[in-house]
Structures are given as C-alpha cells and as structure tokens.
Amino acid sequence: MWRLDCGFLELSDTAPFSDAHLYDDEQRTLTNSCYLIRNGDRYMLWDAGFAAALKGQRVTQSVFTIGIERTIEDQLADLGLSADDIELMAVSHYHSDHVGQIPEFADSSLVISAADWQAVSQPEQDGAFLDRTPFAPWLGEDAGTVVAVTGDHDVFGDGSVIMKSTPGHTPGHNALLVRLSEQGDVLLTGDLYHFEEQIENRGVPQFNADRADTLASFERFNAIAKSLDATVVIQHDPRHVERLPIFPESAK
C-alpha cells in the first residue's frame, strides 16, 4: 500500500468541524491523502483528492484554502503505472475533496456505498460538498461500472481489504481496513475523523449528514481499532503521515 499526496487544506477557522464550538477560531493545516493498494496483480485506489485542475494553484473558498502539488497520475508514473492499471476506484464518500480526480479513472469500476451513490445519482437529492461533476463517467447512457455496496464490503474477496460502514459524515461513509502481512492491520478513516482531537473530544462537524450516526460510527471504528490493535491513519491529519512509509516507499 502506498500513501499518495492528494492536496492540502489550510483552515483560517476550524469552527465548521464541530457543531459544539470545540474548535472556534483555531487555524489548522490539513493534508489530503489517497492510497494505492495492490492485491496480487490487481490495483485499487482509495479516494482521489482534489481535482487535477488545481495543480500548482491555491484557491480560497470560505475558510478553506486548497490546492495540490502533484496529481495521482504523476505519482503513479513514478511507480511505472498509469490509470489503465487501476481496476477499482473506491471512495470513502462523495465529498469533493475525495473524488476530484476520479474522472481520470473513468475505465475503472467505481466502488461506493449504495447510500452515497443514491445521493449522487438522483439529482433531486442534495448534500453538503456534493458535486456530481466528477461522477459523470459513471452516469448516463454510456456509464461505467458502479459497485454500490451496502454494509461492510470485502473488496477483493479474500479478507485483505474491507470497507467498513461508518455512516454519518455522509449517508454511506466508509472507512477502510487494510490487512498487511508485515505492518499488520491499518485503518484508514476516510473523513470519519479529520484530526486527532476529534477522537479525544468527539467533535462532530457542522456539515455532517447525521450526528447520531456519526457518534455510533465513532464507537464502532474505535472498537475495531482496539480489537485489532490496528494502526489508525487519519487521512487529513498531517501528524499521521509518518504512520506509513513516505512515497514512493510502500507499506507491506
């Protein structure tokens, strides 16, 4: 498994990340991580960061300043791979900072929760940070393959990579359990958590779809992590970057 750099977020005020005013007036810098996972000769991507069009830019939207330095395809090239090598494009949820580069993998099967796919595929539905544009290759008459999953999902069918249902941030949000032979179990949070303090004080973002579901998912995720003695990697927390090898090295 390789950690890919899929952008940065600079927050002038972290207030939106708690509906209980836990982080009001705090400034914070977050990373935006994506992951390449190999199973035999099959490859999947987990999340796809900001849009490639943001490469080399800094764009400010409300309290967020965002951008990316290198695209996923740039980083795949370092490994001798291209978009054609990616069989599965799996996403933790539909938010724009996790699906920006999925159009570059239009020939891959899109793996997404059924609840999130329902929101994406039905125009009358709405949600915070829901931009349907990146999903265009999987919508319409010539749509690509969509694997819409309910509950936990064994991605490769061998127990090595399992999407864990953790709704609340979006209706069908998922975390990811990756069971590595050397490093052991790794849990990728998606956006269940954005930074460590949310684990400590149960901070629920203002823009989450369902508060009660979020709190229940906190409990489930934490119990899984404890039971498996897993390495937890919060995908947006720069303090967690060192929990996996630095690209182009991989976790095994």
Side-chain angles (χ1 to χ4, degrees):
M1 178 171 67
W2 294 262
R3 177 196 176 273
L4 308 179
D5 184 354
C6 292
F8 62 85
L9 303 86
E10 296 174 357
L11 305 176
S12 59
D13 186 353
T14 312
F17 289 83
S18 169
D19 60 9
H21 301 278
L22 297 175
Y23 318 120
D24 287 6
D25 301 319
E26 290 184 12
Q27 295 183 353
R28 192 181 293 264
T29 297
L30 302 179
T31 189
N32 196 7
S33 299
C34 307
Y35 300 84
L36 173 68
I37 300 167
R38 186 182 71 194
N39 181 285
D41 60 357
R42 304 171 69 189
Y43 288 91
M44 70 169 281
L45 281 172
W46 175 251
D47 287 339
F50 291 120
L54 287 172
K55 181 179 177 179
Q57 299 186 46
R58 291 173 57 85
V59 177
T60 299
Q61 305 169 344
S62 182
V63 301
F64 303 90
T65 297
I66 63 175
I68 62 171
E69 296 181 359
R70 303 185 73 207
T71 67
I72 294 174
E73 288 188 289
D74 290 339
Q75 293 168 83
L76 290 179
D78 290 347
L79 301 174
L81 301 173
S82 71
D84 293 338
D85 295 302
I86 307 304
E87 177 184 344
L88 304 172
M89 179 65 257
V91 296
S92 59
H93 62 298
Y94 57 58
H95 282 170
S96 57
D97 58 323
H98 289 254
V99 302
Q101 294 175 65
I102 62 172
E104 281 71 35
F105 303 93
D107 293 332
S108 305
S109 295
L110 176 68
V111 187
I112 186 172
S113 72
D116 275 16
W117 182 244
Q118 182 179 27
V120 168
S121 59
Q122 297 188 10
E124 66 274 12
Q125 293 205 24
D126 197 10
F129 303 111
L130 171 55
D131 177 5
R132 292 181 175 84
T133 304
F135 292 96
W138 295 275
L139 297 168
E141 292 185 3
D142 298 321
T145 300
V146 176
V147 181
V149 304
T150 301
D152 292 355
H153 175 64
D154 186 345
V155 177
F156 294 107
D158 61 2
S160 64
V161 181
I162 304 172
M163 294 171 66
K164 291 291 187 179
S165 180
T166 49
H169 186 62
T170 60
H173 180 277
N174 278 280
L176 191 71
L177 172 62
V178 183
R179 316 201 77 173
L180 299 169
S181 58
E182 295 182 14
Q183 183 155 345
D185 293 334
V186 177
L187 276 168
L188 305 176
T189 61
D191 272 7
L192 178 64
Y193 298 115
H194 297 84
F195 40 85
E196 283 187 6
E197 290 78 0
Q198 289 178 310
I199 299 177
E200 298 162 5
N201 53 36
R202 296 163 63 87
V204 177
Q206 298 172 10
F207 46 86
N208 273 23
D210 189 289
R211 191 177 208 280
D213 282 351
T214 300
L215 292 172
S217 291
F218 285 172
E219 295 298 325
R220 182 185 190 221
F221 182 93
N222 295 347
I224 293 170
K226 182 177 181 180
S227 297
L228 299 179
D229 192 24
T231 299
V232 172
V233 178
I234 299 177
Q235 295 180 212
H236 279 302
D237 195 327
R239 295 167 294 187
H240 284 215
V241 168
E242 64 184 21
R243 296 189 176 187
L244 294 174
I246 301 300
F247 184 85
E249 297 300 316
S250 66
K252 300 175 181 179

